[in-house]
Amino acid sequence: MRKYPYTNLRRYVLILLVLAVVCPLSAQDLAEDKSLQEGSWAAAFSEEGRQNWKPEFTLRLTAGFVTSGPALSGGVRIDNKRTLGLIIGHGECYNDARPESDYMIQTSLFFRRYFYIGPREIVALYSDISVGANWIYKVNGSEELIMCHPGDVRPQIALEPGVRFRIYRNFHLFLGPSISTSPTIGFHIGLGL
């Protein structure tokens, strides 16, 4: 019987999509008492908690069906499970029906939540949720057919769950699916520290 070359790829894509649904609905979060969660946020933002804050930076590449581009994020790791920060990126969106290429700068605020697997915290599932805007600065295409113009601003909401592998201290590799209103349905991969 002939084995199809994309069978394993389909399995991995299915697993990543299941993780995208499961990460935000983690049993760990559902089991925690609401008062404990509120106390945890209060503890992270207390004077003593702020002394434990650490910087966290990532460099990622996103590739989707019609969009692609790099992004840099910088944030504050408020505790071992949560990071708040800012994403700045560059994107290109191509529409072959017109044809049209839009070039944009992305700025977003993000929240990242980690769900560790194992006591040594080498592997973690995570979920990034970001809200921001895409600032279109250049458009290539026929003038009568283009839909976007330089100076247009489009809101963006993105969900990027995935798997993180810690290599040394906080230096890590991560990857997972990307779903956003930019529009992107694809994958992201990156390095963080």
Side-chain angles (χ1 to χ4, degrees):
M1 180 173 201
R2 184 176 172 195
K3 186 167 180 148
Y4 294 97
Y6 298 108
T7 304
N8 287 335
L9 179 63
R10 288 181 192 155
R11 270 191 218 133
Y12 296 132
V13 169
L14 181 61
I15 289 168
L16 288 173
L17 289 175
V18 168
L19 288 175
V21 172
V22 172
C23 278
L25 302 175
S26 168
Q28 178 182 354
D29 270 356
L30 293 175
E32 288 180 3
D33 181 30
K34 186 175 180 179
S35 63
L36 291 176
Q37 288 179 6
E38 290 171 0
S40 172
W41 279 101
F45 283 92
S46 69
E47 187 175 330
E48 184 179 325
R50 285 192 306 267
Q51 292 175 1
N52 295 321
W53 286 8
K54 296 177 184 158
E56 184 171 274
F57 298 97
T58 66
L59 177 62
R60 70 181 64 205
L61 178 64
T62 302
F65 293 113
V66 296
T67 59
S68 64
L72 177 67
S73 75
V76 175
R77 193 160 184 179
I78 62 172
D79 59 23
N80 200 29
K81 299 181 212 173
R82 297 171 291 202
T83 301
L84 300 171
L86 175 68
I87 296 174
I88 298 175
H90 180 270
E92 179 181 350
C93 182
Y94 181 73
N95 184 339
D96 64 349
R98 291 192 179 74
E100 176 182 339
S101 290
D102 302 331
Y103 299 89
M104 62 197 84
I105 300 295
Q106 170 199 2
T107 56
S108 299
L109 297 173
F110 77 90
F111 170 69
R112 180 176 299 133
R113 174 71 163 93
Y114 293 104
F115 306 94
Y116 293 101
I117 300 172
R120 296 180 59 203
E121 299 179 350
I122 293 173
V123 178
L125 301 177
Y126 68 90
S127 184
D128 279 4
I129 297 171
S130 61
V131 176
N134 289 323
W135 310 80
I136 298 173
Y137 68 89
K138 179 180 172 186
V139 177
N140 286 340
S142 177
E143 285 296 321
E144 59 274 358
L145 296 176
I146 63 172
M147 292 186 64
C148 296
H149 298 85
D152 287 355
V153 178
R154 296 198 168 170
Q156 176 178 320
I157 300 170
L159 172 65
E160 293 185 315
V163 179
R164 181 190 91 151
F165 302 96
R166 185 168 53 87
I167 298 168
Y168 177 73
R169 295 193 183 191
N170 195 36
F171 181 71
H172 55 274
L173 171 70
F174 59 92
L175 59 104
S178 293
I179 303 161
S180 80
T181 58
S182 58
T184 299
I185 297 177
F187 293 94
H188 67 278
I189 186 167
L191 296 171
L193 100 116

